[in-house]
Amino acid sequence: MSILRGKFARIVGPLAAAALVSVFTSPAASAANSAETVNCYGMSGCVTGIRAATHTGYDRLVFDLTTSTQIFSTSTNTTGDFSGPSGQTQYLTVKGASYLFVTLEPSYPGSGAVLDKTLDLPTIKGVQSTYYHAARTGFGISLGPSTRYNVFTLTAPNRVVVDVYR
């Protein structure tokens, strides 16, 4: 029995010490993760983040969601104006040659999620949250010279994808 205990101590001891060292030497990583925590308060269709990337022939903007949602509407204009929560005309802050507006339903902005971004992609210049009301969240996307786009949903993980073609 004591031989087994000795072998066990020689194996488990170093593993436990390594685990303790890794826990205490990585506070920066846990601080970074906690700063990016998004709280959805149990709501379905919560927008947890936005990411974008350029690809051959198009740029892609992705809205990450907790559950599936629907694209309620899309529209475009050349002025960047939209009707804000107060009903007054407002303008997107990132300038573009044209603008695409997407409304998601059901959708809620996650608390702590970064939903407004300036981007330096060939066709997508920025994205901005325009409103949230009655389980609908609106976004305005500032575009470069191109206005050809495709908006669709994907699952596993749940997301709404906007492809803007060059």
Side-chain angles (χ1 to χ4, degrees):
M1 183 76 160
S2 64
I3 295 173
L4 285 176
R5 219 178 293 160
K7 287 183 179 181
F8 183 75
R10 280 193 300 257
I11 295 170
V12 173
L15 291 175
L20 282 172
V21 167
S22 68
V23 166
F24 290 115
T25 59
S26 62
S30 38
N33 290 340
S34 65
E36 297 172 8
T37 300
V38 175
N39 193 339
C40 292
Y41 303 104
M43 295 182 278
S44 65
C46 177
V47 181
T48 59
I50 298 173
R51 52 196 165 92
T54 190
H55 300 277
T56 303
Y58 67 98
D59 292 332
R60 176 168 282 180
L61 183 69
V62 177
F63 298 93
D64 293 313
L65 307 162
T66 55
T67 59
S68 64
T69 191
Q70 297 175 8
I71 303 157
F72 181 71
S73 67
T74 62
S75 65
T76 58
N77 70 35
T78 57
T79 60
D81 67 316
F82 63 95
S83 182
S86 65
Q88 295 181 335
T89 300
Q90 297 178 338
Y91 294 88
L92 294 179
T93 57
V94 176
K95 299 297 179 205
S98 64
Y99 304 89
L100 169 63
F101 294 89
V102 178
T103 303
L104 308 178
E105 181 186 338
S107 173
Y108 302 88
S111 174
V114 177
L115 302 181
D116 295 353
K117 293 185 176 194
T118 300
L119 303 165
D120 189 24
L121 302 176
T123 62
I124 301 174
K125 303 305 175 189
V127 61
Q128 177 180 332
S129 173
T130 56
Y131 71 89
Y132 160 69
H133 179 70
R136 289 185 184 160
T137 306
F139 294 94
I141 304 166
S142 301
L143 303 176
S146 179
T147 57
R148 289 184 328 122
Y149 65 89
N150 186 25
V151 182
F152 55 96
T153 60
L154 293 172
T155 58
N158 296 304
R159 60 212 182 273
V160 171
V161 178
V162 180
D163 287 343
V164 182
Y165 303 98
R166 292 187 198 109

